[in-house]
Amino acid sequence: MVQKSKITIADIATKADVSISTVSRVLNNTAPVAESTRQAVLEAMQALDYRPNIFARGLASGQSMTVGVLTQHIHSPLYGSLIRGILEEMDNSPYTPLFVDGYWQRQREERLVETLLRRRVDGLIILGGDLPLERLQEAARQVPLIVFGQNVPGLETQCLQLDDYEGAYRATEHLIALGHRRIAHVTGNLAHSDAVARRDGYLQALRDNRIEPVPELMAEGEYTEQSGLIAMEMLFGRGRTFSAVFAANDESGYGVRLALYRRGIRVPEDISLVGFDDIPSSAYTTPPLTTVRQPATEIGRAAAEAILKLIQDEPFELPQISMELIIRESTSRYLK
Amino acid sequence: MVQKSKITIADIATKADVSISTVSRVLNNTAPVAESTRQAVLEAMQALDYRPNIFARGLASGQSMTVGVLTQHIHSPLYGSLIRGILEEMDNSPYTPLFVDGYWQRQREERLVETLLRRRVDGLIILGGDLPLERLQEAARQVPLIVFGQNVPGLETQCLQLDDYEGAYRATEHLIALGHRRIAHVTGNLAHSDAVARRDGYLQALRDNRIEPVPELMAEGEYTEQSGLIAMEMLFGRGRTFSAVFAANDESGYGVRLALYRRGIRVPEDISLVGFDDIPSSAYTTPPLTTVRQPATEIGRAAAEAILKLIQDEPFELPQISMELIIRESTSRYLK
DNA sequence: CTGTTAGCGCATTCAT
DNA sequence: ATGAATGCGCTAACAG
């Protein structure tokens, strides 16, 4: 079962009584063609239901008119939205995106990038993942490349960065604006740079508002609910009071909340709580969690826009994209 | 900026001191080749880091080794999981999937299918969407096709069906097994066949357990939280008592729950509640919602397996896939 | 403005 | 088992 729309430019050349070059010209308007003959060609194409053969075109031109996109967990909210942004942007271009999913497995990612290169993609967008920097640098030598989620030395202008620091700063600032002054922070694993950035944003926001950070109000977690719970127990054990908590991510925020409930402390009546990441359930828990979200669709769109420019050797600039504070009821009131 | 791994089979033919035909043969092992020369060729390929040019290959063979996949809302849980299933299955085949997202917009879908055909996909998987039956039938004439979400006349063997009826039946049966006899049902918009199927499954489960359906215990909703709330108000207004509710989808189930809470009725202590669809938040609400899920990954895998067989003209059979009942705490106890 | 021609890299007869 | 030759459909010089 094979489809073969046998019609080639030769056929339509015959029908329109011109040469194949002329047909090719109106097809790509790569050179001026007399309006009359152009019409004739167009009509012939219409009549014969002509479809260009992309293989022949690719062979002759060396371009595939595709952009490879390496994602991770395509079904997750973050990557789903990134893809959406890319789709929206590419939609108005002659390029088609080719999506592959690395599942955060380095080996798999390596293989998929190889697959994409074999498919002769004209550009490559890498979203997240675990590829070593050298691999990315190598890829950048072979094909136009845009990266999100890593900062590759030497490729700074092609890396889309998000500001964990700024997001944390805003979250903390929000709590301060509500009137809080004793704000606790459950960090992520401080061996990772994003957790450090979030902590630093928290600290700086305090200082900028003339609140002296209190070391006893910080406890290290590791982005899990369990660790959030434990961190809170540590905080309580230290005997310092606080009226708000900033958790370095939503999951650990749930642990925080659990610890509070167990002590009969209500959110937000007694304590305000802010998370980070905006995982889906955070909109539905009781109460919905105030949190910081990566504006993924926008990022996707920016990445797509950039790669298209890159491919065409046009100048481009990756926009600075800010984290977005989603205010929900977990910080709706501050009564004490 | 163009990558061109200039190396062609001609190069490796020279290096291995054979003809290009021989190289082609070891490449596709399309004909027996002396082991010694085969090794020589393999080494040459290795040494020169040869990468076949897919355009040339496609041109000559007429095959693209790709399968087009039309999805809807790629970032939604259902489609995300479908894609995952497809990826898993295709991963072990020489075919690469090409994903496009129709966003449930018919016009867009038409265009995308056209795009995929232009890309000369060897097969097509259509997941959901709004394409008219005639379009699907036409597509089936041009390329191997598998459809999920619609039953196309004349293409029954290529359509993956899911049983809304059976899912509803199971949900209701579950409630009956818990001891309930007065079970209310908030339907979906009965102008749509899936809502009708769910209602019919509910009715039949009752009858099969010798429970006479009570019309006053059914209220029509339209799959939204708001409509679920309203439907419950209608049910209460009718004065018939009930100890369980089966909502035709999770969202309206939330509306049901809200109505119950407002009247101080607890779930599951006072009333059991079952939804349908298993949207992500249903695992996290309080209490987690018992619901019916489409085993999407499995469906995706089945679709991929089928399309690969179809492409290769091998016999295949689409499996019958059942809805899956996810039992959670909203029906954990029945005390009255 | 338009026609002619030479590849692009590979699969595939047809010989040998 | 292997080599030579042909063509896939199109783009891109190159001539008019």
Side-chain angles (χ1 to χ4, degrees), chain A residues 6-323:
Chain A
K6 284 283 182 196
I7 297 110
T8 75
I9 52 172
D11 296 317
I12 92 161
T14 307
K15 178 154 178 118
D17 201 35
V18 296
S19 75
I20 61 167
S21 345
T22 301
V23 176
S24 176
R25 282 178 192 120
V26 336
L27 212 48
N28 315 303
N29 55 79
T30 174
V33 173
E35 189 52 30
S36 57
T37 65
R38 143 177 254 98
Q39 284 308 328
V41 170
L42 252 25
E43 277 174 30
M45 299 202 313
Q46 195 87 45
L48 273 50
D49 189 30
Y50 168 73
R51 290 182 185 182
N53 181 314
I54 61 154
F55 298 127
R57 182 177 289 194
L59 225 207
S61 73
Q63 296 214 304
S64 65
M65 304 310 281
T66 61
V67 172
V69 183
L70 173 63
T71 79
Q72 315 295 332
H73 289 165
I74 210 169
H75 58 283
S76 74
L78 174 62
Y79 287 93
S81 300
L82 285 169
I83 290 172
R84 176 164 191 131
I86 293 176
L87 280 169
E88 287 177 1
E89 189 67 31
M90 279 316 209
D91 230 38
N92 303 310
S93 85
Y95 288 84
T96 302
L98 257 51
F99 295 102
V100 296
D101 191 333
Y103 295 161
W104 290 102
Q105 295 165 17
R106 176 179 298 196
Q107 217 177 340
R108 192 181 151 80
E109 291 172 37
E110 304 256 23
R111 202 187 70 222
L112 291 173
V113 167
E114 184 61 29
T115 302
L116 290 174
L117 291 177
R118 278 180 140 70
R119 292 246 165 234
R120 295 292 201 278
V121 293
D122 296 326
L124 199 52
I125 298 179
I126 306 273
L127 303 176
D130 237 358
L131 287 174
L133 298 180
E134 310 80 54
R135 185 67 188 89
L136 294 175
Q137 290 163 332
E138 185 196 338
R141 261 177 261 119
Q142 308 181 55
V143 62
L145 175 71
I146 293 291
V147 176
F148 166 67
Q150 292 197 54
N151 192 11
V152 187
L155 297 179
E156 288 79 5
T157 58
Q158 293 160 247
C159 293
L160 253 171
Q161 299 277 29
L162 262 186
D163 209 334
D164 283 288
Y165 173 90
E166 190 209 2
Y169 189 99
R170 288 203 193 179
T172 310
E173 203 175 30
H174 169 64
L175 290 170
I176 295 171
L178 287 177
H180 297 283
R181 312 235 0 127
R182 289 156 296 134
I183 302 172
H185 178 37
V186 174
T187 74
N189 179 338
L190 293 176
H192 294 311
S193 63
D194 55 338
V196 171
R198 292 177 190 188
R199 182 202 56 188
D200 290 348
Y202 156 81
L203 291 174
Q204 194 57 44
L206 292 181
R207 294 203 182 95
D208 287 352
N209 287 275
R210 292 197 230 138
I211 301 174
E212 189 54 34
V214 180
E216 288 80 15
L217 286 184
M218 294 199 293
E220 186 167 348
E222 49 185 13
Y223 284 168
T224 64
E225 179 166 350
Q226 176 74 4
S227 75
L229 181 77
I230 295 172
M232 281 307 285
E233 294 304 335
M234 288 178 50
L235 286 176
F236 282 126
R238 292 179 189 155
R240 307 282 300 221
T241 63
F242 47 88
S243 65
V245 180
F246 166 43
N249 79 333
D250 286 0
E251 276 192 77
S252 62
Y254 292 159
V256 169
R257 201 182 51 184
L258 187 53
L260 294 173
Y261 280 150
R262 287 190 181 167
R263 290 172 178 258
I265 302 171
R266 296 163 304 171
V267 173
E269 289 84 349
D270 305 320
I271 275 190
S272 286
L273 175 62
V274 177
F276 206 110
D277 281 352
D278 193 33
I279 66 178
S281 52
S282 293
Y284 298 104
T285 46
T286 315
L289 188 63
T290 293
T291 186
V292 178
R293 165 165 69 196
Q294 318 193 30
T297 303
E298 198 181 326
I299 296 168
R301 214 176 298 128
E305 195 182 334
I307 198 71
L308 293 179
K309 294 259 174 76
L310 237 190
I311 289 175
Q312 292 157 28
D313 270 318
E314 290 175 21
F316 72 98
E317 193 175 341
L318 289 175
Q320 189 58 42
I321 294 179
S322 297
M323 297 278 200

Side-chain angles (χ1 to χ4, degrees), chain B residues 80-239:
Chain B
S81 299
L82 286 169
I83 290 172
R84 176 164 190 132
I86 292 176
L87 280 169
E88 286 178 1
E89 188 68 32
M90 296 278 234
D91 230 38
N92 302 312
S93 84
Y95 288 84
T96 301
L98 256 51
F99 295 102
V100 295
D101 191 333
Y103 295 161
W104 290 103
Q105 295 165 18
R106 176 178 300 195
Q107 220 177 338
R108 194 182 149 79
E109 290 172 36
E110 303 256 23
R111 202 187 70 222
L112 291 173
V113 167
E114 184 60 28
T115 302
L116 290 173
L117 292 178
R118 278 179 140 70
R119 292 244 165 236
R120 295 292 201 277
V121 293
D122 296 326
L124 199 52
I125 298 178
I126 306 274
L127 304 176
D130 236 0
L131 287 175
L133 298 180
E134 310 80 54
R135 184 68 187 89
L136 294 175
Q137 290 164 333
E138 186 196 337
R141 262 177 259 119
Q142 307 181 57
V143 61
L145 176 70
I146 293 289
V147 176
F148 166 68
Q150 291 198 56
N151 191 13
V152 186
L155 297 179
E156 286 79 5
T157 58
Q158 291 160 250
C159 292
L160 254 171
Q161 299 277 28
L162 261 187
D163 211 334
D164 283 290
Y165 173 91
E166 189 209 3
Y169 189 100
R170 288 203 193 178
T172 309
E173 204 174 30
H174 169 64
L175 290 171
I176 295 171
L178 287 178
H180 296 282
R181 312 239 354 130
R182 289 156 295 132
I183 302 171
H185 178 35
V186 174
T187 74
N189 179 339
L190 293 175
H192 294 311
S193 64
D194 56 337
V196 171
R198 293 177 189 188
R199 181 203 57 190
D200 291 348
Y202 155 81
L203 291 174
Q204 194 57 44
L206 292 181
R207 294 203 183 97
D208 286 353
N209 287 276
R210 293 198 229 139
I211 300 175
E212 188 54 33
V214 180
E216 288 80 16
L217 286 184
M218 295 200 292
E220 187 166 348
E222 48 185 14
Y223 284 168
T224 64
E225 178 166 353
Q226 175 73 3
S227 75
L229 180 79
I230 294 172
M232 282 308 284
E233 293 306 334
M234 289 178 49
L235 286 175
F236 282 126
R238 290 178 189 157

Side-chain angles (χ1 to χ4, degrees), chain B residues 8-9 24 28 50 56-57 60:
Chain B
T8 75
I9 52 171
S24 177
N28 314 302
Y50 168 72
R57 182 177 289 198

